[in-house]
PDB file of all heavy atoms in Angstrom:
ATOM      1  N   GLU E1232     -54.434  82.971   9.787  1.00  0.00           N
ATOM      2  CA  GLU E1232     -53.910  84.191  10.418  1.00  0.00           C
ATOM      3  C   GLU E1232     -54.902  85.345  10.281  1.00  0.00           C
ATOM      4  O   GLU E1232     -54.992  86.201  11.145  1.00  0.00           O
ATOM      5  CB  GLU E1232     -52.571  84.614   9.794  1.00  0.00           C
ATOM      6  CG  GLU E1232     -51.395  83.690  10.109  1.00  0.00           C
ATOM      7  CD  GLU E1232     -51.460  82.373   9.347  1.00  0.00           C
ATOM      8  OE1 GLU E1232     -51.668  82.434   8.112  1.00  0.00           O
ATOM      9  OE2 GLU E1232     -51.341  81.297   9.965  1.00  0.00           O
ATOM     10  N   SER E1233     -55.649  85.345   9.163  1.00  0.00           N
ATOM     11  CA  SER E1233     -56.571  86.463   8.966  1.00  0.00           C
ATOM     12  C   SER E1233     -57.719  86.384   9.966  1.00  0.00           C
ATOM     13  O   SER E1233     -58.216  87.408  10.434  1.00  0.00           O
ATOM     14  CB  SER E1233     -57.108  86.484   7.532  1.00  0.00           C
ATOM     15  OG  SER E1233     -57.919  85.355   7.286  1.00  0.00           O
ATOM     16  N   ILE E1234     -58.110  85.157  10.317  1.00  0.00           N
ATOM     17  CA  ILE E1234     -59.184  85.012  11.305  1.00  0.00           C
ATOM     18  C   ILE E1234     -58.678  85.436  12.682  1.00  0.00           C
ATOM     19  O   ILE E1234     -59.353  86.174  13.400  1.00  0.00           O
ATOM     20  CB  ILE E1234     -59.724  83.572  11.296  1.00  0.00           C
ATOM     21  CG1 ILE E1234     -60.493  83.361   9.976  1.00  0.00           C
ATOM     22  CG2 ILE E1234     -60.635  83.305  12.494  1.00  0.00           C
ATOM     23  CD1 ILE E1234     -60.996  81.979   9.736  1.00  0.00           C
ATOM     24  N   ALA E1235     -57.474  85.027  13.008  1.00  0.00           N
ATOM     25  CA  ALA E1235     -56.893  85.435  14.289  1.00  0.00           C
ATOM     26  C   ALA E1235     -56.736  86.955  14.343  1.00  0.00           C
ATOM     27  O   ALA E1235     -57.058  87.595  15.351  1.00  0.00           O
ATOM     28  CB  ALA E1235     -55.539  84.757  14.478  1.00  0.00           C
ATOM     29  N   ALA E1236     -56.294  87.545  13.232  1.00  0.00           N
ATOM     30  CA  ALA E1236     -56.102  89.002  13.200  1.00  0.00           C
ATOM     31  C   ALA E1236     -57.448  89.717  13.326  1.00  0.00           C
ATOM     32  O   ALA E1236     -57.557  90.739  14.015  1.00  0.00           O
ATOM     33  CB  ALA E1236     -55.403  89.404  11.907  1.00  0.00           C
ATOM     34  N   ALA E1237     -58.469  89.166  12.693  1.00  0.00           N
ATOM     35  CA  ALA E1237     -59.807  89.775  12.776  1.00  0.00           C
ATOM     36  C   ALA E1237     -60.298  89.751  14.219  1.00  0.00           C
ATOM     37  O   ALA E1237     -60.851  90.737  14.718  1.00  0.00           O
ATOM     38  CB  ALA E1237     -60.779  89.038  11.864  1.00  0.00           C
ATOM     39  N   ARG E1238     -60.075  88.630  14.899  1.00  0.00           N
ATOM     40  CA  ARG E1238     -60.490  88.521  16.307  1.00  0.00           C
ATOM     41  C   ARG E1238     -59.779  89.570  17.164  1.00  0.00           C
ATOM     42  O   ARG E1238     -60.381  90.189  18.037  1.00  0.00           O
ATOM     43  CB  ARG E1238     -60.185  87.116  16.837  1.00  0.00           C
ATOM     44  CG  ARG E1238     -61.157  86.046  16.349  1.00  0.00           C
ATOM     45  CD  ARG E1238     -60.595  84.634  16.521  1.00  0.00           C
ATOM     46  NE  ARG E1238     -60.289  84.288  17.918  1.00  0.00           N
ATOM     47  CZ  ARG E1238     -61.190  83.894  18.813  1.00  0.00           C
ATOM     48  NH1 ARG E1238     -62.449  83.790  18.468  1.00  0.00           N
ATOM     49  NH2 ARG E1238     -60.829  83.589  20.053  1.00  0.00           N
ATOM     50  N   ASN E1239     -58.505  89.772  16.871  1.00  0.00           N
ATOM     51  CA  ASN E1239     -57.754  90.763  17.644  1.00  0.00           C
ATOM     52  C   ASN E1239     -58.252  92.184  17.392  1.00  0.00           C
ATOM     53  O   ASN E1239     -58.289  93.005  18.301  1.00  0.00           O
ATOM     54  CB  ASN E1239     -56.262  90.661  17.328  1.00  0.00           C
ATOM     55  CG  ASN E1239     -55.650  89.418  17.967  1.00  0.00           C
ATOM     56  OD1 ASN E1239     -56.088  88.988  19.041  1.00  0.00           O
ATOM     57  ND2 ASN E1239     -54.671  88.832  17.294  1.00  0.00           N
ATOM     58  N   LEU E1240     -58.621  92.460  16.155  1.00  0.00           N
ATOM     59  CA  LEU E1240     -59.124  93.798  15.845  1.00  0.00           C
ATOM     60  C   LEU E1240     -60.442  94.069  16.580  1.00  0.00           C
ATOM     61  O   LEU E1240     -60.658  95.147  17.119  1.00  0.00           O
ATOM     62  CB  LEU E1240     -59.327  93.947  14.334  1.00  0.00           C
ATOM     63  CG  LEU E1240     -58.036  94.120  13.532  1.00  0.00           C
ATOM     64  CD1 LEU E1240     -58.301  93.940  12.038  1.00  0.00           C
ATOM     65  CD2 LEU E1240     -57.430  95.490  13.803  1.00  0.00           C
ATOM     66  N   ILE E1241     -61.325  93.057  16.594  1.00  0.00           N
ATOM     67  CA  ILE E1241     -62.605  93.222  17.311  1.00  0.00           C
ATOM     68  C   ILE E1241     -62.319  93.427  18.800  1.00  0.00           C
ATOM     69  O   ILE E1241     -62.905  94.294  19.443  1.00  0.00           O
ATOM     70  CB  ILE E1241     -63.521  91.999  17.092  1.00  0.00           C
ATOM     71  CG1 ILE E1241     -63.901  91.852  15.619  1.00  0.00           C
ATOM     72  CG2 ILE E1241     -64.765  92.079  17.983  1.00  0.00           C
ATOM     73  CD1 ILE E1241     -64.878  92.861  15.079  1.00  0.00           C
ATOM     74  N   LYS E1242     -61.379  92.657  19.309  1.00  0.00           N
ATOM     75  CA  LYS E1242     -61.001  92.765  20.715  1.00  0.00           C
ATOM     76  C   LYS E1242     -60.492  94.174  21.034  1.00  0.00           C
ATOM     77  O   LYS E1242     -60.740  94.725  22.106  1.00  0.00           O
ATOM     78  CB  LYS E1242     -59.907  91.731  21.009  1.00  0.00           C
ATOM     79  CG  LYS E1242     -59.525  91.608  22.470  1.00  0.00           C
ATOM     80  CD  LYS E1242     -58.390  90.595  22.604  1.00  0.00           C
ATOM     81  CE  LYS E1242     -57.860  90.585  24.023  1.00  0.00           C
ATOM     82  NZ  LYS E1242     -56.546  89.938  24.086  1.00  0.00           N
ATOM     83  N   ALA E1243     -59.816  94.765  20.038  1.00  0.00           N
ATOM     84  CA  ALA E1243     -59.257  96.103  20.232  1.00  0.00           C
ATOM     85  C   ALA E1243     -60.288  97.209  19.975  1.00  0.00           C
ATOM     86  O   ALA E1243     -59.932  98.385  19.913  1.00  0.00           O
ATOM     87  CB  ALA E1243     -58.046  96.276  19.317  1.00  0.00           C
ATOM     88  N   GLY E1244     -61.551  96.829  19.773  1.00  0.00           N
ATOM     89  CA  GLY E1244     -62.591  97.849  19.629  1.00  0.00           C
ATOM     90  C   GLY E1244     -62.794  98.362  18.215  1.00  0.00           C
ATOM     91  O   GLY E1244     -63.428  99.391  18.003  1.00  0.00           O
ATOM     92  N   LYS E1245     -62.265  97.635  17.232  1.00  0.00           N
ATOM     93  CA  LYS E1245     -62.418  98.079  15.843  1.00  0.00           C
ATOM     94  C   LYS E1245     -63.732  97.566  15.238  1.00  0.00           C
ATOM     95  O   LYS E1245     -64.365  96.657  15.768  1.00  0.00           O
ATOM     96  CB  LYS E1245     -61.249  97.560  14.986  1.00  0.00           C
ATOM     97  CG  LYS E1245     -59.900  98.024  15.463  1.00  0.00           C
ATOM     98  CD  LYS E1245     -59.720  99.506  15.208  1.00  0.00           C
ATOM     99  CE  LYS E1245     -58.315  99.947  15.619  1.00  0.00           C
ATOM    100  NZ  LYS E1245     -58.250 101.407  15.822  1.00  0.00           N
ATOM    101  N   ILE E1246     -64.063  98.150  14.092  1.00  0.00           N
ATOM    102  CA  ILE E1246     -65.250  97.721  13.353  1.00  0.00           C
ATOM    103  C   ILE E1246     -64.812  97.056  12.059  1.00  0.00           C
ATOM    104  O   ILE E1246     -64.022  97.623  11.296  1.00  0.00           O
ATOM    105  CB  ILE E1246     -66.153  98.932  13.040  1.00  0.00           C
ATOM    106  CG1 ILE E1246     -66.730  99.475  14.358  1.00  0.00           C
ATOM    107  CG2 ILE E1246     -67.273  98.548  12.069  1.00  0.00           C
ATOM    108  CD1 ILE E1246     -67.303 100.844  14.254  1.00  0.00           C
TER     109      ILE E1246
END
Side-chain angles (χ1 to χ4, degrees):
E1232 290 74 49
S1233 66
I1234 290 175
R1238 284 162 60 80
N1239 287 328
L1240 285 167
I1241 297 288
K1242 187 183 172 197
K1245 301 290 183 199
I1246 293 164

